[in-house]
Amino acid sequence: MSENAILIAETRDRVGKGVSRALRREGRTPAVIYGDKKEPVSVSLETKELVKVLNTGAFMSTIYTVQVGKTNYNVLPRDLQLHPVKDSPVHVDFLRVSAKSLIAVNVPVHFLNEDKCVGLVRGGVLNVVRHEVEMLVPAGDIPEFLEIDLSEFDIGSSVHISDFSLPKGTEPTITDRDFTVATIAAPSGGTDEEEDGEADAEASEGESSEES
């Protein structure tokens, strides 16, 4: 596993709402480390340091090393609870992982060459169905994003997961269908070809009416 960002933690000998509230008043956030068929470990993190990590982005899809004294735990955040008003962290659940662990994470989607996309140049609109795709990936090699080149997609085209070159060793958690990630929709006024076709159709209907 590549070198991970480090979070310094302290053990919690006691648990419960009262203890958690006291920790928060002291500027610490309660957390728990679980999984890998081992007993959960209750810890706390300095809230200011945790907020710094949260502000870097991709918190829920990043492997961290939590240091508790002389013991290190490689973990992946699985749940983050925020205060409903202050939006500050209230509690974090961490899952123990190893480099060989397969985990489900949401991976952002990047769309390339929108300025060269055939359908968008013709006035189409990019309709993003999924900004993220849930993927099953090795814990030691989580992709930062998935990317797709839109150059050849025209109006009416759909971008499916099968159109992506997925990183080695990864697969979407949805495997029973080739799901849509985005579409190139026609503009609200229709394309020039559609308008011309409608005009021709109207002209033909008018000629038929005059003949009858």
Side-chain angles (χ1 to χ4, degrees), residues 85-132:
V85 177
K86 300 177 181 178
D87 208 32
S88 56
V90 172
H91 191 277
V92 186
D93 288 354
F94 292 108
L95 174 68
R96 292 187 186 95
V97 298
S98 67
K100 295 182 180 179
S101 300
L102 287 178
I103 55 177
V105 297
N106 288 320
V107 182
V109 178
H110 289 182
F111 298 96
L112 306 179
N113 294 321
E114 292 186 43
D115 58 331
K116 299 178 182 177
C117 174
V118 175
L120 298 183
V121 170
R122 294 177 57 215
V125 178
L126 177 62
N127 176 30
V128 180
V129 179
R130 297 172 185 267
H131 292 276
E132 296 180 325

Side-chain angles (χ1 to χ4, degrees), residues 14-212:
R14 295 181 299 158
V15 296
K17 292 182 178 180
V19 176
S20 295
R21 282 195 293 267
L23 282 170
R24 296 185 193 105
R25 285 196 296 268
E26 296 170 4
R28 303 192 65 81
T29 301
V32 63
I33 300 170
Y34 69 95
D36 200 24
K37 299 180 180 179
K38 298 177 182 178
E39 287 295 317
V41 178
S42 296
V43 299
S44 68
L45 307 163
E46 186 176 351
T47 301
K48 287 183 179 180
E49 294 303 313
L50 179 58
V51 169
K52 288 180 183 179
V53 174
L54 293 176
N55 290 338
T56 61
F59 177 71
M60 300 300 292
S61 59
T62 300
I63 301 292
Y64 296 95
T65 296
V66 175
Q67 289 186 352
V68 185
K70 296 182 179 179
T71 304
N72 291 341
Y73 301 92
N74 291 323
V75 301
L76 177 72
R78 290 278 80 176
D79 186 58
L80 171 65
Q81 297 176 29
L82 299 175
H83 191 281
V85 177
K86 300 177 181 178
D87 208 32
S88 56
V90 172
H91 191 277
V92 186
D93 288 354
F94 292 108
L95 174 68
R96 292 187 186 95
V97 298
S98 67
K100 295 182 180 179
S101 300
L102 287 178
I103 55 177
V105 297
N106 288 320
V107 182
V109 178
H110 289 182
F111 298 96
L112 306 179
N113 294 321
E114 292 186 43
D115 58 331
K116 299 178 182 177
C117 174
V118 175
L120 298 183
V121 170
R122 294 177 57 215
V125 178
L126 177 62
N127 176 30
V128 180
V129 179
R130 297 172 185 267
H131 292 276
E132 296 180 325
V133 173
E134 187 177 55
M135 301 288 296
L136 194 62
V137 305
D141 193 18
I142 300 176
E144 293 185 19
F145 51 81
L146 304 178
E147 58 183 21
I148 184 73
D149 187 343
L150 294 179
S151 299
E152 302 302 320
F153 288 91
D154 203 348
I155 291 175
S157 298
S158 294
V159 182
H160 296 99
I161 189 62
S162 61
D163 295 313
F164 290 77
S165 296
L166 300 179
K168 184 178 180 181
T170 71
E171 65 176 9
T173 55
I174 299 175
T175 58
D176 61 343
R177 63 186 186 278
D178 188 16
F179 57 86
T180 300
V181 178
T183 62
I184 308 296
S188 56
T191 63
D192 293 339
E193 287 85 348
E194 289 173 342
E195 291 174 355
D196 291 343
E198 290 173 359
D200 291 342
E202 290 172 358
S204 297
E205 289 176 0
E207 290 175 0
S208 297
S209 299
E210 291 175 1
E211 291 176 357
S212 58

